[in-house]
Amino acid sequence: MDAIWILPALPLLGAVVLLLLGRRSDRWGHLLGTATAALSFAFAVALFVGMLGRSVDERAVSDTLFRWVPVAELQVDFGFRLDQLSMCFVLLITGVGTLIHLYAVGYMAEDPDRRKFFGYLNLFLAAMLLLVTADNFLGLYVGWEGVGLASYLLIGFWQHKPSAATAAKKAFVVNRVGDIGLMVALMIMFSSFRSVSFADVFAGTETATNGTLTALGFVLLLAACGKSAQVPLQSWLGDAMEGPTPVSALIHAATMVTAGVYLIVRSGPIFESAPAAQTAVVVVGAVTLLFGAIIGCAKDDIKKALAASTMSQIGYMFLAAGLGPAGYTFAIMLLLAHGFFKAGLFLGAGSVMHGMNDEVDMRKYGALRTVMPITFVTFGLGYLAIIGVPPFSGFFAKDKIIEVAFAAGGVQGAILGAVTLIGAGLTAFYMTRVMLMTFFGKARWEPDVHPHESPSIMTAPMIVLAVGSVAAGALFTVGGSLTHWLEPVVGEAEDAHAIPAWVVTPLALTVVAVGVAVACRRYATKPIPAAAPVPVSALTAAARRDLYGDAVNEALLMRPGAQLTQAAERFDDVAIAGATRAVAGSVAILSTRIRNVQTGYVRSYALTMLAGTAVLVAMMVAVMVW
């Protein structure tokens, strides 16, 4: 139980071997990458079983490897902590990550750089595991930046494609904006608490000023928005689909986007002591929930539609986490359920692309259920889970978040409840649209496309994830299992309901049914054109352009930044370089004038010396007389 470091060490070892050996490991690199992920998962299961065997008070364990930063007052250990919260993430990361590795063996079979791809996947897992098992914010920050590096390498893996290279740079830059928040948070922690360990920082919240805690909460939220693609730092997520599909599944289901939710929940004591920052978390979640759902309704690219749905589902989690102890458990519940059904949906999308010559436009799909039955069934189960149909996993988690949103009470509760219901209806609409355009209707394939089912190495992980999409919800909720499991870390949630559950559940299911019906009426009863129809409404046009997220970021961040850079350049040229040139010119002029005094004639020098002597004698006589 004390050897927590083995969890990230195994995939890190795989990454080091695969990336350092290079082409010498091409033949077996994918096997080593998958094996290290699987071993990490097996070790995680062993740790979980060991944790179950302990009493509740003794389940959290720590492991300090060495003194990391011994600098004056800043003393930081390189240590790990495994508690009930981090264990949820560890099992998700290693379990779903292993299935994605296995799927990638088949998906990347023809890629000449498959070995390097698995090295990057291993690096991704290692960084994320460090992030969720670190016992202090500095260790978390190292994992945080490692995840950013790995995502850059994987999104731009096919760098011969200009779109992939651009998407990787975009993800890297946008995430750096968010990472500034975590960097500033570390500075505030050291300045205020003289420590960056979880225990010291959380204990310090009892005596810190409200201004300090509010500032700390806002910069942590900025960091979380970057990693989890929440408004206003959401623009990178859709473009990240340029990476291979296993990367998309790993980013959206088990690693990167979950990091922001982990940071918010882990930092719960900070946000609970800073109401303004906590409210900001709720607002960001509510806005992004609708933001992503609206975008998802207008996407014809199957992966980008799923990417928009991730943005929306993470918005649900942020909203719940922003409601404090009442919502922490349900945010994690949806995160775990989302790990199953979203990974299954992305792998299903990759299976469709595999059979359709890498085509991503759903308008060129149709009738695939007959030629890809396993993909159809597994994708369909993920679809039922994400729209919240009972008894699938998404129903249990999302229904609870809707209840908690209404339970906020007053105008806030009414608004949040309405937002979560609208989001549920929109989710049902765009996911039904994806199902109908992909698997139903008439075949709209290109003449040279011959769809076929994917090999078993790809379908096997999809089947396992589909089972998880069905069973995970009940597993989390039976007897309040997940609530009791997380209670020692996130606190006890008050069982308050502004609207009874027996009212909320039928209401939510009705909204979902309406969303499904509207999508069926539009996409099942009418032929789907080969190209998106025009003209369109202003909202549809905006949704197709990601609600102008790039334009807003360009106006608010890029252009002011460029103007500031140009102003700094002009200041440097005029003031700094100008002053330097002025000094140099003055010295040159002065040197020229002084040089003219040196004539080279001895008689001139003698006359000058005589004149100087006369002046000195005259001054001395004048002083004596005076």
Side-chain angles (χ1 to χ4, degrees):
M1 284 296 293
D2 293 335
I4 307 169
W5 60 271
I6 295 177
L7 285 168
L10 286 168
L12 181 60
L13 175 63
V16 170
V17 171
L18 294 178
L19 297 178
L20 291 185
L21 285 184
R23 292 295 181 187
R24 288 170 290 182
S25 59
D26 275 353
R27 288 187 300 173
W28 44 266
H30 57 289
L31 300 178
L32 176 64
T34 304
T36 55
L39 287 173
S40 186
F41 173 62
F43 188 63
V45 171
L47 291 175
F48 176 64
V49 173
M51 187 177 284
L52 289 176
R54 295 173 175 237
S55 64
V56 174
D57 296 335
E58 297 178 346
R59 284 178 175 170
V61 293
S62 297
D63 178 20
T64 300
L65 293 186
F66 54 85
R67 177 57 56 85
W68 185 17
V69 185
V71 181
E73 296 182 25
L74 182 60
Q75 302 289 322
V76 183
D77 293 331
F78 195 91
F80 298 87
R81 176 180 174 82
L82 191 64
D83 56 21
Q84 291 88 332
L85 176 62
S86 52
M87 178 57 77
C88 290
F89 281 84
V90 165
L91 291 173
L92 174 69
I93 295 163
T94 56
V96 174
T98 298
L99 292 174
I100 293 172
H101 274 70
L102 190 63
Y103 175 93
V105 171
Y107 190 88
M108 302 293 289
E110 304 301 323
D111 196 296
D113 289 323
R114 180 170 65 168
R115 176 266 319 162
K116 182 165 65 174
F117 179 78
F118 275 84
Y120 292 161
L121 285 184
N122 273 191
L123 180 63
F124 211 161
L125 285 193
M128 191 66 192
L129 287 168
L130 174 60
L131 191 158
V132 299
T133 57
D135 69 349
N136 61 78
F137 282 97
L138 186 58
L140 183 151
Y141 180 73
V142 174
W144 193 270
E145 292 301 323
V147 168
L149 171 63
S151 66
Y152 169 77
L153 296 172
L154 287 167
I155 293 170
F157 184 75
W158 289 327
Q159 55 190 283
H160 60 275
K161 297 168 54 180
S163 57
T166 300
K169 288 186 289 186
K170 183 177 182 179
F172 189 82
V173 170
V174 174
N175 272 274
R176 295 295 73 72
V177 175
D179 293 353
I180 290 174
L182 189 52
M183 187 185 305
V184 173
L186 289 170
M187 298 176 186
I188 295 175
M189 290 172 189
F190 174 64
S191 174
S192 302
F193 312 120
R194 289 294 183 267
S195 175
V196 293
S197 73
F198 294 148
D200 292 339
V201 171
F202 298 156
T205 59
E206 299 178 1
T207 57
T209 65
N210 184 66
T212 297
L213 294 173
T214 300
L216 187 54
F218 272 106
V219 291
L220 288 173
L221 174 58
L222 176 65
C225 286
K227 276 292 181 287
S228 292
Q230 298 291 283
V231 172
L233 300 179
Q234 81 293 342
S235 61
W236 66 271
L237 193 61
D239 294 301
M241 297 304 95
E242 291 293 337
T245 298
V247 175
S248 303
L250 198 60
I251 288 176
H252 288 252
T255 54
M256 193 161 178
V257 296
T258 66
V261 181
Y262 173 78
L263 180 63
I264 297 295
V265 176
R266 175 63 75 185
S267 305
I270 296 173
F271 286 97
E272 290 164 32
S273 302
Q278 193 172 36
T279 300
V281 175
V282 175
V283 172
V284 166
V287 171
T288 310
L289 188 165
L290 296 178
F291 201 96
I294 293 171
I295 292 173
C297 294
K299 292 297 181 183
D300 293 329
D301 183 319
I302 187 171
K303 288 178 66 177
K304 289 191 175 182
L306 294 178
S309 81
T310 297
M311 190 191 308
S312 181
Q313 298 303 302
I314 299 293
Y316 270 105
M317 300 172 206
F318 265 60
L319 188 153
L323 295 174
Y328 290 148
T329 297
F330 305 124
I332 300 302
M333 185 184 297
L334 180 58
L335 185 147
L336 296 175
H338 183 265
F340 284 105
F341 61 67
K342 183 53 62 69
L345 289 170
F346 265 110
L347 297 190
S351 179
V352 170
M353 292 167 58
H354 179 78
M356 295 289 291
N357 292 354
D358 289 330
E359 180 60 66
V360 296
D361 189 348
M362 294 184 292
R363 294 184 180 276
K364 298 178 181 179
Y365 290 169
L368 291 180
R369 70 186 187 282
T370 58
V371 291
M372 306 181 71
I374 298 177
T375 300
F376 166 62
V377 172
T378 55
F379 194 97
L381 293 175
Y383 154 73
L384 294 173
I386 193 174
I387 69 173
V389 173
F392 297 89
S393 58
F395 163 75
F396 293 98
K398 195 175 297 183
D399 197 63
K400 288 294 185 181
I401 292 178
I402 296 173
E403 288 182 28
V404 171
F406 276 112
V411 176
Q412 179 188 13
I415 293 174
L416 294 180
V419 167
T420 55
L421 285 176
I422 293 171
L426 290 174
T427 302
F429 172 81
Y430 69 72
M431 285 306 304
T432 302
R433 176 177 179 268
V434 170
M435 282 294 296
L436 294 175
M437 293 179 70
T438 303
F439 296 103
F440 292 88
K442 296 181 179 180
R444 303 180 298 278
W445 317 328
E446 296 289 344
D448 60 336
V449 173
H450 304 286
H452 55 276
E453 187 60 271
S454 298
S456 57
I457 192 69
M458 294 171 63
T459 57
M462 292 159 55
I463 293 171
V464 175
L465 291 168
V467 172
S469 298
V470 176
L475 180 65
F476 296 150
T477 56
V478 171
S481 54
L482 187 63
T483 301
H484 296 315
W485 173 259
L486 291 174
E487 193 173 284
V489 181
V490 302
E492 183 177 358
E494 296 180 4
D495 191 15
H497 299 284
I499 299 179
W502 59 268
V503 174
V504 172
T505 298
L507 182 60
L509 292 177
T510 300
V511 171
V512 168
V514 170
V516 172
V518 173
C520 288
R521 183 175 182 274
R522 185 166 181 177
Y523 295 98
T525 61
K526 300 177 182 179
I528 296 175
V534 291
V536 295
S537 66
L539 180 60
T540 302
R544 288 180 183 173
R545 296 186 60 184
D546 297 337
L547 295 182
Y548 305 110
D550 285 335
V552 171
N553 286 342
E554 182 177 345
L556 297 181
L557 298 176
M558 191 280 287
R559 288 179 184 172
Q563 292 172 355
L564 181 62
T565 301
Q566 292 170 359
E569 183 180 7
R570 287 193 297 269
F571 177 79
D572 178 75
D573 185 59
V574 175
I576 307 301
T580 303
R581 288 193 295 268
V583 171
S586 300
V587 171
I589 293 172
L590 183 61
S591 299
T592 301
R593 298 297 175 83
I594 295 176
R595 185 169 62 245
N596 293 334
V597 176
Q598 304 296 322
T599 62
Y601 296 112
V602 174
R603 61 180 179 272
S604 297
Y605 299 157
L607 180 61
T608 302
M609 294 172 62
L610 178 61
T613 302
V615 170
L616 289 175
V617 170
M619 291 176 61
M620 293 175 63
V621 170
V623 169
M624 292 174 64
V625 172
W626 183 77

